[in-house]
Amino acid sequence: MPKSLPKSKRSKDDVLKELRELRTEDARWKDGRTFSLVYYVDDEHSRLLKEAYGEFMAENGLSPMAFPSLRRMESEVVSMAAGLFHGDDDVVGTMTTGGTESIMMAVKTAREWARNEKGIARPEIIAPLSVHPAFEKAAHYFDIEIRHAATGPDLRVDLQDVERLITPNTAMLVGSAPPYPHGVMDPIVELAALAQSRGLLCHVDACLGGFFLPFAKKLGRDIPPFDFSVPGVTTISADLHKYGYAAKGASLVLHRNRELRRHQFYTYSEWPGGLYVSPSMTGTRPGGAIAAAWAVMHYLGEEGYLDHARRVLATTDKLIAGINAIPGLRVLGKPHVGVFAFASDSLNVYELADAMEACGWKLDRQQNPPALHCMITPAHERIADTLLKDLRELSSRLAAGEPAPEGSAAMYGMVGAIPDRKQVDGFLMDFLDGMFDRG
Ligand SMILES: *Cc1c(COP(=O)(O)O)cnc(C)c1O
């Protein structure tokens, strides 16, 4: 039976109390034992985001005419990001609700560009195996082909393989700065040069690194160029709601110039409801997310972003060195931001994750190869030593033959062994179907 709407009204306090109580079984991100999904700094920071978001919660960024306030904030956010990414006066952009939407807009741009300017009926894009699934999703939604380039032993995309995959239908090459699974940047300079020499677009997915790499570089880290300073880079995606420390629902897609961005936009002039224009996927665009992003960039400034990057890098260095010192564990590749993965040649890392989970740690499981993932924020500074201590102790117990507690290791092992990935997709579909059951 479907639930019915409550018959009568309730007090605000009563409803909010029940709302907060729904949280009890949620991932506890504030104490730093979760490593994805939430980029938490501290309560003062969260209050700024809430107030800025709340201030513009009702406003809608869909109409550029009705709210000059939002238009101004968006254009300032785009401009600050363009500056951060070494863009010149031609660089333009749009705020979106997230990395996936930014990526979809870059892929749509490539499709329209290929069709309209190159006469390619069935455009293709080439992306590394490590690229974010948002590109697969975009290819699926926009019905274009995505060809996957192999990654080398250093986890970066293999340029020879990219070159091999280029056809007369290729519209765009994609690289990540860095990809989510291992945090190791693709060779953007070389990739963009290849794109340029073949007359192709080149997208850099800096969803994860966009608001981190420039500050890491300022702090003296060896960060290869990845932005508009690189000839041949045509679009960049960068998430404000990750290391931009903004509220959820804020990302950017930037274009080398206005001509390119026109391929992203959508207009419709025959609707009885009026002339319709929309810069991105969504219709209504939440004003709160735009306001919170604008506010956090002014609140932190370069000084604040540098502070956070310094703390994240120090914690990451400590964890990487500590994990590499644990017998059997090793960090994969040479990560550039606060994101990395570690694997094992002697232990089942899925069992290690189950053992860690029994101690209150939530580490994301990865595959090809099996690995555990860490995404470090300033909130993880306090837990680094405990994390290393628990990892050391639990992996030595597993190595000694102690069984891991019941968890998801068996499921991961089984799924990993199924050669027919279509069958796995079927399981995932059932899982999703079950997760979004009616309450
Ligand atoms: C998170 C991420 C995305 C997708 O961003 P969403 O905001 O989750 O849609 C894309 N690319 C990379 C590298 C990411 O880390």
Side-chain angles (χ1 to χ4, degrees):
M1 271 287 278
K3 258 193 176 143
S4 49
L5 195 63
K7 284 271 177 275
S8 42
K9 300 191 215 173
R10 265 164 82 185
S11 77
K12 162 176 151 281
D13 289 345
D14 192 30
V15 173
L16 288 177
K17 180 169 172 286
E18 185 177 334
L19 180 88
R20 293 190 178 107
E21 284 166 3
L22 290 175
R23 266 215 177 106
T24 44
E25 287 174 39
D26 284 1
R28 287 169 44 205
W29 43 269
K30 261 196 188 181
D31 53 20
R33 285 177 171 251
T34 301
F35 292 90
S36 61
L37 304 172
V38 179
Y39 292 68
Y40 174 63
V41 180
D42 56 36
D43 285 348
E44 181 72 9
H45 185 105
S46 299
R47 270 195 295 278
L48 167 93
L49 294 179
K50 275 190 202 173
E51 282 182 34
Y53 199 107
E55 199 67 51
F56 280 84
M57 177 202 63
E59 279 78 359
N60 188 340
L62 174 60
S63 166
M65 305 298 283
F67 305 109
S69 55
L70 289 180
R71 199 173 65 210
R72 169 149 178 209
M73 285 185 251
E74 177 167 0
S75 105
E76 287 187 18
V77 168
V78 167
S79 191
M80 286 187 275
L84 197 60
F85 302 152
H86 299 101
D88 59 18
D89 288 341
D90 290 340
V91 167
V92 289
T94 313
M95 282 187 71
T96 68
T97 55
T100 300
E101 191 186 359
S102 294
I103 287 164
M104 289 198 154
M105 292 299 86
V107 172
K108 194 242 180 201
T109 298
R111 188 188 72 176
E112 302 302 289
W113 174 84
R115 280 183 181 167
N116 300 330
E117 303 197 14
K118 308 264 282 189
I120 300 173
R122 302 215 34 88
E124 301 167 2
I125 61 172
I126 300 173
L129 277 167
S130 57
V131 87
H132 192 276
F135 289 89
E136 322 296 332
K137 197 175 179 182
H140 175 72
Y141 280 19
F142 298 142
D143 194 24
I144 64 163
E145 194 187 328
I146 177 165
R147 313 191 82 203
H148 293 108
T151 47
D154 59 359
L155 304 169
R156 302 167 3 127
V157 70
D158 177 344
L159 290 159
Q160 279 180 350
D161 205 43
V162 174
E163 194 157 12
R164 184 182 67 80
L165 293 169
I166 296 176
T167 75
N169 289 334
T170 307
M172 179 165 80
L173 307 184
V174 179
S176 310
Y180 185 81
H182 308 118
V184 184
M185 289 170 72
D186 285 320
I188 302 300
V189 172
E190 294 80 358
L191 190 74
L194 177 60
Q196 206 174 26
S197 75
R198 300 298 192 93
L200 305 172
L201 302 180
C202 177
H203 179 79
V204 175
D205 181 16
C207 277
L208 188 57
F211 287 91
F212 195 94
L213 297 168
F215 306 108
K217 187 167 174 67
K218 272 222 157 77
L219 293 171
R221 295 291 168 130
D222 182 19
I223 306 294
F226 69 96
D227 57 17
F228 289 117
S229 64
V230 179
V233 169
T234 49
T235 47
I236 296 179
S237 48
D239 284 353
L240 291 150
H241 63 200
K242 286 186 183 155
Y243 286 115
Y245 303 108
K248 291 280 188 292
S251 173
L252 283 162
V253 55
L254 299 177
H255 299 257
R256 178 68 79 171
N257 56 47
R258 308 185 97 87
E259 290 74 57
L260 202 52
R261 189 179 58 176
R262 290 172 77 92
H263 296 298
Q264 171 190 318
F265 289 164
Y266 179 77
T267 63
Y268 186 63
S269 56
E270 308 203 26
W271 185 38
L275 300 173
Y276 189 87
V277 293
S278 160
S280 54
M281 289 282 290
T282 64
T284 290
R285 299 200 304 146
I290 297 173
W294 182 92
V296 79
M297 289 172 93
H298 286 87
Y299 173 71
L300 291 178
E302 183 178 279
E303 189 187 1
Y305 281 110
L306 282 170
D307 281 345
H308 291 338
R310 196 180 288 112
R311 291 168 63 191
V312 168
L313 286 167
T315 308
T316 305
D317 288 350
K318 180 188 220 173
L319 287 173
I320 289 179
I323 289 169
N324 280 332
I326 296 173
L329 300 188
R330 65 187 161 85
V331 171
L332 299 170
K334 298 235 171 317
H336 291 97
V337 298
V339 167
F340 61 90
F342 58 96
S344 175
D345 297 323
S346 50
L347 300 173
N348 177 334
V349 285
Y350 299 142
E351 289 182 358
L352 178 58
D354 288 344
M356 290 294 284
E357 198 148 331
C359 292
W361 299 98
K362 264 199 104 49
L363 292 159
D364 288 339
R365 284 86 165 161
Q366 301 199 140
Q367 56 180 353
N368 311 326
L372 304 181
H373 191 258
C374 286
M375 179 281 283
I376 305 305
T377 66
H380 292 107
E381 204 169 39
R382 296 174 279 124
I383 56 78
D385 291 314
T386 329
L387 176 67
L388 286 172
K389 184 174 108 348
D390 287 357
L391 272 177
R392 202 177 304 115
E393 189 172 317
L394 296 173
S395 49
S396 86
R397 280 204 229 152
L398 285 180
E402 200 174 298
E406 191 78 27
S408 59
M411 190 270 293
Y412 273 91
M414 183 202 64
V415 167
I418 298 174
D420 177 7
R421 302 318 281 178
K422 281 264 175 308
Q423 197 185 345
V424 178
D425 283 324
F427 293 152
L428 295 178
M429 203 53 94
D430 294 344
F431 167 78
L432 206 53
D433 195 38
M435 279 314 247
F436 289 94
D437 251 343
R438 285 203 318 230

Short mmCIF file of all heavy atoms in Angstrom, two decimals, residues 238-290:
data_model
loop_
_atom_site.label_atom_id
_atom_site.label_comp_id
_atom_site.label_asym_id
_atom_site.label_seq_id
_atom_site.Cartn_x
_atom_site.Cartn_y
_atom_site.Cartn_z
N ALA A 238 35.38 20.96 -13.36
CA ALA A 238 35.97 21.08 -12.02
C ALA A 238 34.85 21.22 -11.00
O ALA A 238 33.98 22.07 -11.15
CB ALA A 238 36.90 22.30 -11.96
N ASP A 239 34.89 20.36 -9.99
CA ASP A 239 33.81 20.36 -8.99
C ASP A 239 34.09 21.32 -7.85
O ASP A 239 35.10 21.21 -7.16
CB ASP A 239 33.63 18.95 -8.40
CG ASP A 239 32.92 18.02 -9.35
OD1 ASP A 239 32.44 18.48 -10.41
OD2 ASP A 239 32.83 16.82 -9.03
N LEU A 240 33.13 22.22 -7.66
CA LEU A 240 33.22 23.09 -6.48
C LEU A 240 32.84 22.32 -5.22
O LEU A 240 33.34 22.61 -4.14
CB LEU A 240 32.29 24.29 -6.68
CG LEU A 240 32.77 25.25 -7.78
CD1 LEU A 240 31.60 25.95 -8.45
CD2 LEU A 240 33.74 26.25 -7.18
N HIS A 241 31.97 21.33 -5.37
CA HIS A 241 31.52 20.60 -4.17
C HIS A 241 32.46 19.47 -3.74
O HIS A 241 32.11 18.66 -2.90
CB HIS A 241 30.05 20.14 -4.29
CG HIS A 241 29.77 19.15 -5.39
ND1 HIS A 241 28.50 18.97 -5.88
CD2 HIS A 241 30.57 18.30 -6.08
CE1 HIS A 241 28.53 18.02 -6.83
NE2 HIS A 241 29.77 17.62 -6.96
N LYS A 242 33.66 19.43 -4.32
CA LYS A 242 34.68 18.52 -3.78
C LYS A 242 35.73 19.40 -3.09
O LYS A 242 35.44 20.02 -2.10
CB LYS A 242 35.26 17.65 -4.89
CG LYS A 242 34.25 16.57 -5.27
CD LYS A 242 34.82 15.60 -6.27
CE LYS A 242 33.74 14.61 -6.67
NZ LYS A 242 34.01 14.04 -7.99
N TYR A 243 36.96 19.46 -3.68
CA TYR A 243 37.98 20.27 -2.99
C TYR A 243 37.77 21.78 -3.13
O TYR A 243 38.60 22.56 -2.69
CB TYR A 243 39.38 19.86 -3.45
CG TYR A 243 39.82 18.53 -2.88
CD1 TYR A 243 40.05 17.43 -3.70
CD2 TYR A 243 39.99 18.37 -1.51
CE1 TYR A 243 40.46 16.21 -3.17
CE2 TYR A 243 40.39 17.15 -0.97
CZ TYR A 243 40.63 16.08 -1.81
OH TYR A 243 41.03 14.88 -1.27
N GLY A 244 36.63 22.18 -3.76
CA GLY A 244 36.25 23.60 -3.71
C GLY A 244 35.56 23.89 -2.38
O GLY A 244 35.30 25.04 -2.04
N TYR A 245 35.23 22.82 -1.63
CA TYR A 245 34.59 22.90 -0.30
C TYR A 245 33.29 23.69 -0.31
O TYR A 245 32.94 24.36 0.66
CB TYR A 245 35.56 23.48 0.74
CG TYR A 245 36.83 22.68 0.86
CD1 TYR A 245 38.05 23.16 0.38
CD2 TYR A 245 36.83 21.42 1.45
CE1 TYR A 245 39.22 22.42 0.47
CE2 TYR A 245 37.99 20.66 1.55
CZ TYR A 245 39.18 21.17 1.07
OH TYR A 245 40.33 20.44 1.17
N ALA A 246 32.57 23.64 -1.45
CA ALA A 246 31.26 24.32 -1.54
C ALA A 246 30.17 23.36 -1.10
O ALA A 246 30.43 22.19 -0.77
CB ALA A 246 31.03 24.77 -2.98
N ALA A 247 28.92 23.84 -1.09
CA ALA A 247 27.80 22.97 -0.76
C ALA A 247 27.51 22.08 -1.96
O ALA A 247 27.86 22.41 -3.10
CB ALA A 247 26.57 23.80 -0.40
N LYS A 248 26.85 20.95 -1.71
CA LYS A 248 26.53 20.01 -2.79
C LYS A 248 25.69 20.70 -3.88
O LYS A 248 24.85 21.53 -3.60
CB LYS A 248 25.72 18.84 -2.24
CG LYS A 248 26.50 17.94 -1.35
CD LYS A 248 27.36 16.96 -2.15
CE LYS A 248 27.96 15.93 -1.20
NZ LYS A 248 28.97 16.55 -0.29
N GLY A 249 25.96 20.28 -5.11
CA GLY A 249 25.20 20.82 -6.23
C GLY A 249 25.94 21.92 -6.96
O GLY A 249 25.33 22.78 -7.58
N ALA A 250 27.29 21.89 -6.90
CA ALA A 250 28.05 22.97 -7.54
C ALA A 250 29.29 22.44 -8.25
O ALA A 250 30.18 21.84 -7.63
CB ALA A 250 28.45 24.02 -6.51
N SER A 251 29.33 22.67 -9.54
CA SER A 251 30.49 22.28 -10.36
C SER A 251 30.61 23.28 -11.50
O SER A 251 29.75 24.16 -11.66
CB SER A 251 30.26 20.86 -10.90
OG SER A 251 31.26 20.50 -11.82
N LEU A 252 31.66 23.15 -12.28
CA LEU A 252 31.90 24.08 -13.39
C LEU A 252 32.29 23.33 -14.64
O LEU A 252 33.03 22.34 -14.58
CB LEU A 252 33.08 24.99 -13.04
CG LEU A 252 32.84 26.14 -12.09
CD1 LEU A 252 34.17 26.64 -11.54
CD2 LEU A 252 32.10 27.27 -12.78
N VAL A 253 31.81 23.82 -15.78
CA VAL A 253 32.39 23.40 -17.05
C VAL A 253 32.90 24.67 -17.72
O VAL A 253 32.18 25.67 -17.82
CB VAL A 253 31.38 22.61 -17.91
CG1 VAL A 253 30.08 23.35 -18.15
CG2 VAL A 253 32.01 22.20 -19.24
N LEU A 254 34.17 24.65 -18.10
CA LEU A 254 34.81 25.83 -18.71
C LEU A 254 35.21 25.51 -20.14
O LEU A 254 35.64 24.39 -20.44
CB LEU A 254 36.05 26.23 -17.91
CG LEU A 254 35.85 26.62 -16.45
CD1 LEU A 254 37.18 26.90 -15.79
CD2 LEU A 254 34.93 27.81 -16.31
N HIS A 255 35.07 26.51 -21.00
CA HIS A 255 35.40 26.35 -22.42
C HIS A 255 36.50 27.32 -22.82
O HIS A 255 36.53 28.45 -22.32
CB HIS A 255 34.17 26.63 -23.29
CG HIS A 255 33.02 25.71 -23.03
ND1 HIS A 255 32.68 24.67 -23.85
CD2 HIS A 255 32.11 25.68 -22.02
CE1 HIS A 255 31.63 24.04 -23.37
NE2 HIS A 255 31.26 24.64 -22.27
N ARG A 256 37.31 26.90 -23.76
CA ARG A 256 38.41 27.74 -24.25
C ARG A 256 37.89 29.05 -24.83
O ARG A 256 38.51 30.08 -24.70
CB ARG A 256 39.18 26.93 -25.31
CG ARG A 256 40.32 27.61 -26.00
CD ARG A 256 41.51 27.89 -25.12
NE ARG A 256 42.38 26.77 -24.86
CZ ARG A 256 43.57 26.88 -24.24
NH1 ARG A 256 44.03 28.06 -23.83
NH2 ARG A 256 44.30 25.82 -24.00
N ASN A 257 36.70 29.02 -25.44
CA ASN A 257 36.12 30.25 -26.00
C ASN A 257 34.60 30.13 -26.16
O ASN A 257 34.03 29.05 -25.99
CB ASN A 257 36.78 30.60 -27.35
CG ASN A 257 36.67 29.45 -28.33
OD1 ASN A 257 35.60 28.88 -28.51
ND2 ASN A 257 37.78 29.09 -28.96
N ARG A 258 33.98 31.27 -26.47
CA ARG A 258 32.51 31.32 -26.56
C ARG A 258 31.96 30.45 -27.67
O ARG A 258 30.87 29.90 -27.57
CB ARG A 258 32.06 32.75 -26.85
CG ARG A 258 32.58 33.80 -25.95
CD ARG A 258 31.92 35.13 -26.32
NE ARG A 258 30.79 35.36 -25.42
CZ ARG A 258 30.92 35.95 -24.24
NH1 ARG A 258 32.09 36.36 -23.82
NH2 ARG A 258 29.87 36.13 -23.48
N GLU A 259 32.68 30.37 -28.80
CA GLU A 259 32.18 29.60 -29.95
C GLU A 259 31.94 28.16 -29.53
O GLU A 259 30.95 27.54 -29.89
CB GLU A 259 33.18 29.62 -31.12
CG GLU A 259 33.34 30.97 -31.82
CD GLU A 259 34.15 31.96 -30.99
OE1 GLU A 259 35.30 31.62 -30.64
OE2 GLU A 259 33.63 33.04 -30.67
N LEU A 260 32.88 27.64 -28.76
CA LEU A 260 32.77 26.26 -28.31
C LEU A 260 31.58 26.11 -27.36
O LEU A 260 30.81 25.14 -27.46
CB LEU A 260 34.08 25.88 -27.60
CG LEU A 260 34.41 24.39 -27.50
CD1 LEU A 260 34.33 23.71 -28.86
CD2 LEU A 260 35.80 24.23 -26.91
N ARG A 261 31.39 27.08 -26.48
CA ARG A 261 30.32 26.96 -25.48
C ARG A 261 28.93 26.98 -26.11
O ARG A 261 27.99 26.43 -25.54
CB ARG A 261 30.44 28.06 -24.42
CG ARG A 261 29.47 27.84 -23.26
CD ARG A 261 29.56 28.87 -22.18
NE ARG A 261 29.31 30.22 -22.68
CZ ARG A 261 29.25 31.30 -21.92
NH1 ARG A 261 29.44 31.18 -20.61
NH2 ARG A 261 29.03 32.49 -22.43
N ARG A 262 28.81 27.61 -27.26
CA ARG A 262 27.48 27.64 -27.91
C ARG A 262 26.96 26.23 -28.17
O ARG A 262 25.76 26.00 -28.18
CB ARG A 262 27.54 28.43 -29.22
CG ARG A 262 27.74 29.92 -29.00
CD ARG A 262 27.99 30.62 -30.32
NE ARG A 262 26.76 30.81 -31.09
CZ ARG A 262 26.00 31.90 -31.01
NH1 ARG A 262 26.35 32.88 -30.19
NH2 ARG A 262 24.92 32.01 -31.72
N HIS A 263 27.88 25.27 -28.36
CA HIS A 263 27.45 23.88 -28.61
C HIS A 263 26.86 23.24 -27.36
O HIS A 263 26.23 22.19 -27.43
CB HIS A 263 28.64 23.05 -29.10
CG HIS A 263 29.19 23.51 -30.42
ND1 HIS A 263 28.44 23.51 -31.57
CD2 HIS A 263 30.40 24.01 -30.76
CE1 HIS A 263 29.17 23.97 -32.58
NE2 HIS A 263 30.37 24.29 -32.11
N GLN A 264 27.10 23.85 -26.23
CA GLN A 264 26.56 23.32 -24.97
C GLN A 264 25.12 23.78 -24.74
O GLN A 264 24.31 23.06 -24.16
CB GLN A 264 27.45 23.82 -23.81
CG GLN A 264 26.88 23.51 -22.43
CD GLN A 264 27.66 24.21 -21.33
OE1 GLN A 264 28.88 24.26 -21.35
NE2 GLN A 264 26.95 24.76 -20.36
N PHE A 265 24.81 24.98 -25.18
CA PHE A 265 23.53 25.61 -24.84
C PHE A 265 22.35 24.98 -25.57
O PHE A 265 22.50 24.31 -26.58
CB PHE A 265 23.59 27.10 -25.19
CG PHE A 265 24.49 27.90 -24.27
CD1 PHE A 265 24.93 29.17 -24.65
CD2 PHE A 265 24.91 27.40 -23.05
CE1 PHE A 265 25.74 29.92 -23.81
CE2 PHE A 265 25.73 28.14 -22.21
CZ PHE A 265 26.14 29.41 -22.60
N TYR A 266 21.18 25.24 -25.02
CA TYR A 266 19.96 24.76 -25.63
C TYR A 266 18.94 25.90 -25.70
O TYR A 266 18.77 26.63 -24.71
CB TYR A 266 19.36 23.60 -24.83
CG TYR A 266 18.07 23.11 -25.43
CD1 TYR A 266 18.08 22.31 -26.57
CD2 TYR A 266 16.84 23.49 -24.90
CE1 TYR A 266 16.91 21.90 -27.16
CE2 TYR A 266 15.66 23.08 -25.48
CZ TYR A 266 15.70 22.28 -26.62
OH TYR A 266 14.54 21.89 -27.20
N THR A 267 18.30 26.05 -26.86
CA THR A 267 17.25 27.07 -26.99
C THR A 267 16.05 26.45 -27.69
O THR A 267 16.19 25.52 -28.50
CB THR A 267 17.72 28.27 -27.85
OG1 THR A 267 17.99 27.80 -29.19
CG2 THR A 267 18.99 28.90 -27.29
N TYR A 268 14.87 26.94 -27.35
CA TYR A 268 13.65 26.47 -28.02
C TYR A 268 12.70 27.65 -28.14
O TYR A 268 12.37 28.30 -27.14
CB TYR A 268 13.01 25.34 -27.22
CG TYR A 268 11.83 24.72 -27.92
CD1 TYR A 268 11.99 24.07 -29.15
CD2 TYR A 268 10.56 24.80 -27.38
CE1 TYR A 268 10.91 23.52 -29.80
CE2 TYR A 268 9.46 24.23 -28.03
CZ TYR A 268 9.65 23.59 -29.25
OH TYR A 268 8.58 23.04 -29.90
N SER A 269 12.29 27.94 -29.37
CA SER A 269 11.56 29.19 -29.59
C SER A 269 10.07 29.00 -29.87
O SER A 269 9.36 29.95 -30.13
CB SER A 269 12.20 29.95 -30.75
OG SER A 269 12.23 29.12 -31.90
N GLU A 270 9.57 27.75 -29.82
CA GLU A 270 8.18 27.53 -30.23
C GLU A 270 7.24 27.13 -29.11
O GLU A 270 6.08 26.77 -29.34
CB GLU A 270 8.15 26.46 -31.32
CG GLU A 270 9.12 26.81 -32.42
CD GLU A 270 8.78 26.15 -33.73
OE1 GLU A 270 7.60 25.84 -33.95
OE2 GLU A 270 9.72 25.96 -34.52
N TRP A 271 7.70 27.15 -27.92
CA TRP A 271 6.88 26.72 -26.77
C TRP A 271 5.81 27.77 -26.48
O TRP A 271 6.13 28.96 -26.40
CB TRP A 271 7.81 26.56 -25.56
CG TRP A 271 7.15 26.00 -24.34
CD1 TRP A 271 6.20 25.03 -24.28
CD2 TRP A 271 7.42 26.38 -22.98
NE1 TRP A 271 5.87 24.76 -22.97
CE2 TRP A 271 6.60 25.57 -22.16
CE3 TRP A 271 8.27 27.31 -22.38
CZ2 TRP A 271 6.60 25.68 -20.76
CZ3 TRP A 271 8.28 27.41 -20.99
CH2 TRP A 271 7.44 26.60 -20.19
N PRO A 272 4.57 27.32 -26.30
CA PRO A 272 3.53 28.29 -25.94
C PRO A 272 3.87 29.03 -24.64
O PRO A 272 3.39 30.15 -24.42
CB PRO A 272 2.28 27.42 -25.76
CG PRO A 272 2.55 26.19 -26.57
CD PRO A 272 4.04 25.97 -26.49
N GLY A 273 4.70 28.42 -23.80
CA GLY A 273 5.07 29.04 -22.54
C GLY A 273 6.09 30.16 -22.69
O GLY A 273 6.45 30.81 -21.70
N GLY A 274 6.56 30.38 -23.88
CA GLY A 274 7.50 31.49 -24.09
C GLY A 274 8.79 31.01 -24.72
O GLY A 274 8.95 29.84 -25.05
N LEU A 275 9.71 31.93 -24.91
CA LEU A 275 11.02 31.60 -25.49
C LEU A 275 11.86 30.96 -24.41
O LEU A 275 12.00 31.51 -23.32
CB LEU A 275 11.68 32.87 -26.01
CG LEU A 275 10.89 33.61 -27.10
CD1 LEU A 275 11.54 34.95 -27.42
CD2 LEU A 275 10.74 32.76 -28.36
N TYR A 276 12.42 29.79 -24.70
CA TYR A 276 13.11 29.01 -23.66
C TYR A 276 14.60 28.92 -23.96
O TYR A 276 14.99 28.54 -25.05
CB TYR A 276 12.50 27.62 -23.59
CG TYR A 276 12.97 26.78 -22.43
CD1 TYR A 276 12.34 26.85 -21.19
CD2 TYR A 276 14.04 25.89 -22.57
CE1 TYR A 276 12.76 26.07 -20.12
CE2 TYR A 276 14.47 25.12 -21.50
CZ TYR A 276 13.82 25.20 -20.29
OH TYR A 276 14.23 24.44 -19.23
N VAL A 277 15.40 29.28 -22.97
CA VAL A 277 16.85 29.10 -23.10
C VAL A 277 17.36 28.40 -21.85
O VAL A 277 16.88 28.64 -20.75
CB VAL A 277 17.60 30.45 -23.26
CG1 VAL A 277 17.26 31.11 -24.58
CG2 VAL A 277 17.31 31.40 -22.10
N SER A 278 18.33 27.52 -22.03
CA SER A 278 18.89 26.78 -20.89
C SER A 278 20.34 26.47 -21.16
O SER A 278 20.68 25.87 -22.18
CB SER A 278 18.06 25.50 -20.68
OG SER A 278 18.79 24.57 -19.93
N PRO A 279 21.23 26.87 -20.25
CA PRO A 279 22.65 26.65 -20.51
C PRO A 279 23.09 25.21 -20.30
O PRO A 279 24.09 24.79 -20.87
CB PRO A 279 23.35 27.58 -19.49
CG PRO A 279 22.36 27.74 -18.38
CD PRO A 279 20.99 27.64 -19.01
N SER A 280 22.37 24.44 -19.46
CA SER A 280 22.91 23.12 -19.08
C SER A 280 21.81 22.08 -19.07
O SER A 280 20.76 22.27 -19.66
CB SER A 280 23.62 23.23 -17.74
OG SER A 280 22.76 23.79 -16.78
N MET A 281 22.04 20.94 -18.40
CA MET A 281 21.07 19.84 -18.42
C MET A 281 19.78 20.18 -17.69
O MET A 281 18.71 19.86 -18.16
CB MET A 281 21.66 18.61 -17.69
CG MET A 281 22.75 17.91 -18.40
SD MET A 281 22.19 16.84 -19.73
CE MET A 281 21.41 15.52 -18.82
N THR A 282 19.91 20.73 -16.51
CA THR A 282 18.73 20.91 -15.67
C THR A 282 17.95 22.12 -16.15
O THR A 282 18.49 23.01 -16.81
CB THR A 282 19.12 21.15 -14.20
OG1 THR A 282 19.85 22.37 -14.13
CG2 THR A 282 19.96 20.02 -13.65
N GLY A 283 16.68 22.15 -15.83
CA GLY A 283 15.89 23.35 -16.07
C GLY A 283 16.16 24.30 -14.92
O GLY A 283 17.11 25.10 -14.96
N THR A 284 15.38 24.17 -13.87
CA THR A 284 15.61 24.95 -12.66
C THR A 284 17.04 24.75 -12.17
O THR A 284 17.55 23.62 -12.14
CB THR A 284 14.62 24.50 -11.57
OG1 THR A 284 13.32 24.93 -11.95
CG2 THR A 284 14.97 25.07 -10.21
N ARG A 285 17.70 25.84 -11.83
CA ARG A 285 19.06 25.74 -11.29
C ARG A 285 19.06 26.33 -9.89
O ARG A 285 18.76 27.51 -9.70
CB ARG A 285 20.06 26.48 -12.20
CG ARG A 285 20.08 25.86 -13.61
CD ARG A 285 21.33 26.20 -14.38
NE ARG A 285 21.55 27.61 -14.48
CZ ARG A 285 22.75 28.19 -14.49
NH1 ARG A 285 23.83 27.46 -14.40
NH2 ARG A 285 22.87 29.46 -14.61
N PRO A 286 19.38 25.52 -8.88
CA PRO A 286 19.26 25.96 -7.48
C PRO A 286 20.16 27.16 -7.15
O PRO A 286 21.39 27.06 -7.24
CB PRO A 286 19.65 24.74 -6.66
CG PRO A 286 20.37 23.83 -7.60
CD PRO A 286 19.90 24.14 -8.98
N GLY A 287 19.53 28.27 -6.78
CA GLY A 287 20.29 29.47 -6.43
C GLY A 287 21.19 29.26 -5.24
O GLY A 287 22.29 29.83 -5.17
N GLY A 288 20.75 28.42 -4.29
CA GLY A 288 21.54 28.21 -3.07
C GLY A 288 22.92 27.67 -3.37
O GLY A 288 23.92 28.10 -2.77
N ALA A 289 23.00 26.73 -4.31
CA ALA A 289 24.30 26.12 -4.63
C ALA A 289 25.25 27.14 -5.25
O ALA A 289 26.46 27.12 -4.98
CB ALA A 289 24.09 24.93 -5.57
N ILE A 290 24.68 28.03 -6.06
CA ILE A 290 25.51 29.08 -6.69
C ILE A 290 26.00 30.05 -5.61
O ILE A 290 27.19 30.39 -5.55
CB ILE A 290 24.70 29.82 -7.77
CG1 ILE A 290 24.31 28.84 -8.90
CG2 ILE A 290 25.47 31.03 -8.32
CD1 ILE A 290 23.37 29.41 -9.96
#
